[in-house]
Amino acid sequence: MTPLSRMLREMVRIRTVETALAELYRDKQEMRTPTHFSVGQEATAVGVCSALRPTDRVYSGHRSHAPYLAKGGDLHAMVAELHGKRTGCAGGRGGSMHLTDPKAGFMAASILGETIAVGTGTAWASAMRGSDEVTAVFFGDGAAEEGVFHESLNFAALHGLPVLLVCENNGYSITSPLAARQPRGTTVWERAHGYGVSSALVDGNDVEAVHDAAVEAVRLCRSGRGPYLLELTTRRLLEHVGPGPDRDAGHGAEGDATAYSCPLVRASDALRPADLGGESPDTAVGRWRQEAEQEVRLAVEAARTAPFPSTSTLLDGVHHS
């Protein structure tokens, strides 16, 4: 398989998994956790994570499913976590917004800009150890308005840290459009220039463009020339939190006047049968979708029968005296 076909396969897997989970969330009411789906934004997670090594680390914001899976997180553990089960990647304690799997290099997910600071600290630890590990931090355009974004960027620039800051700009902070929150004529990626940090603006629905930009950014970070900021423009197809289409609220990808360019369609259109061993892109995508449907079906079945955490563990991990 070519790099593009591998990335498309991963995007199809993530889209299929999240679509299935969104339907179950809406209809079955078994996942009692706020869910922020990445449907429509698959190219940002896959393009960036495909440029990382297994030993590199990733943090994300609350829209965490796609980065978690793209970094190699365990699907069964993620689905169990959404069901609040003991077999979940956070032991049933974190839910959708707080996935964690250090074995896969996915360290944590959280809300707003909190993980920007934590990821910067992880990159500082790598630098102090003399390691060439890179830390990537995913966050939304709303988090770029938080003070922690600027503080972390300043600190990372001061110490030349190997941290890749990835802003997934889907145009909305909950339901507030970008124009209502940020001054006209300003961009997230250009803010890095004030700190002497390299940055780039990339079409976040073009997985090849994201991958190429991430490869260069990671190369610079790994060589001691970090940090680096990527702003990836994209759109979400589902609402801010929950399984409903964003268009039902009159905003988001299908509510905007600008046309949405599906990253899966774009990648599929760029492939040729020769890239897939003679198989047509449509046939390959259909086969990958069926495989992912079976994979998520088994994960849901396992989550449903898994035990809930014991009440005896309620204080585990809690700081108290």
Side-chain angles (χ1 to χ4, degrees):
M1 296 178 70
T2 64
L4 177 57
S5 60
R6 284 194 292 270
M7 290 190 291
L8 175 57
R9 183 175 186 174
E10 185 62 24
M11 288 194 295
V12 169
R13 177 177 181 251
I14 293 171
R15 172 74 64 91
T16 304
V17 165
E18 287 216 292
T19 300
L21 291 176
E23 292 175 356
L24 289 170
Y25 186 92
R26 179 193 63 227
D27 298 336
K28 298 296 184 180
Q29 298 291 299
E30 295 174 330
M31 289 173 271
R32 311 304 296 169
T33 173
T35 53
H36 302 75
F37 294 103
S38 300
V39 175
Q41 301 184 192
E42 297 85 0
T44 58
V46 172
V48 170
C49 289
S50 64
L52 300 173
R53 295 175 182 170
T55 52
D56 293 330
R57 295 177 173 86
V58 166
Y59 290 83
S60 86
H62 49 272
R63 205 172 301 280
S64 58
H65 304 165
Y68 176 82
L69 293 174
K71 188 58 175 69
D74 187 296
L75 176 61
H76 279 248
M78 186 188 89
V79 174
E81 188 61 37
L82 268 61
H83 284 78
K85 296 303 182 71
R86 191 167 66 199
T87 53
C89 59
R93 292 172 170 272
S96 170
M97 293 195 296
H98 305 290
L99 304 177
T100 178
D101 191 347
K103 295 189 299 298
F106 190 91
M107 306 308 294
S110 189
I111 60 173
L112 300 177
E114 295 173 1
T115 49
I116 300 176
V118 180
T120 299
T122 297
W124 192 24
S126 295
M128 292 176 71
R129 292 196 307 268
S131 167
D132 68 350
E133 295 168 346
V134 172
T135 299
V137 185
F138 290 85
F139 56 94
D141 49 282
E145 298 156 17
E146 298 286 326
V148 69
F149 166 77
H150 295 274
E151 293 166 4
S152 299
L153 192 58
N154 181 78
F155 187 88
L158 181 65
H159 295 281
L161 301 184
V163 59
L164 171 58
L165 301 177
V166 183
C167 177
E168 296 178 287
N169 187 348
N170 62 22
Y172 284 90
S173 177
I174 306 180
T175 60
S176 298
L178 201 66
R181 298 179 286 107
Q182 299 186 14
R184 183 183 299 274
T186 65
T187 62
V188 174
W189 70 283
E190 288 178 313
R191 294 174 192 172
H193 297 173
Y195 301 97
V197 172
S198 299
S199 62
L201 176 67
V202 181
D203 182 348
N205 294 327
D206 183 339
V207 71
E208 287 187 294
V210 173
H211 171 78
D212 291 345
V215 166
E216 175 62 11
V218 168
R219 183 188 69 81
L220 292 173
C221 287
R222 214 180 295 285
S223 65
R225 296 166 63 188
Y228 200 100
L229 172 66
L230 284 177
E231 180 182 355
L232 309 178
T233 56
T234 184
R235 282 290 186 268
R236 68 189 192 211
L237 292 180
L238 300 185
E239 57 193 325
H240 166 66
V241 54
D246 227 13
R247 65 175 180 270
D248 290 351
H251 49 72
E254 298 183 50
D256 287 338
T258 55
Y260 169 69
S261 178
C262 176
L264 278 66
V265 172
R266 290 178 66 171
S268 179
D269 288 345
L271 284 175
R272 301 166 302 170
D275 300 323
L276 300 163
E279 189 175 26
S280 74
D282 287 345
T283 300
V285 167
R287 177 167 54 83
W288 296 335
R289 185 175 292 114
Q290 289 180 347
E291 293 171 354
E293 288 171 348
Q294 175 66 6
E295 188 182 9
V296 72
R297 186 179 305 116
L298 293 174
V300 170
E301 290 174 358
R304 284 171 171 164
T305 58
F308 285 102
S310 169
T311 55
S312 65
T313 66
L314 280 174
L315 295 181
D316 289 357
V318 177
H319 178 73
H320 63 93
S321 57

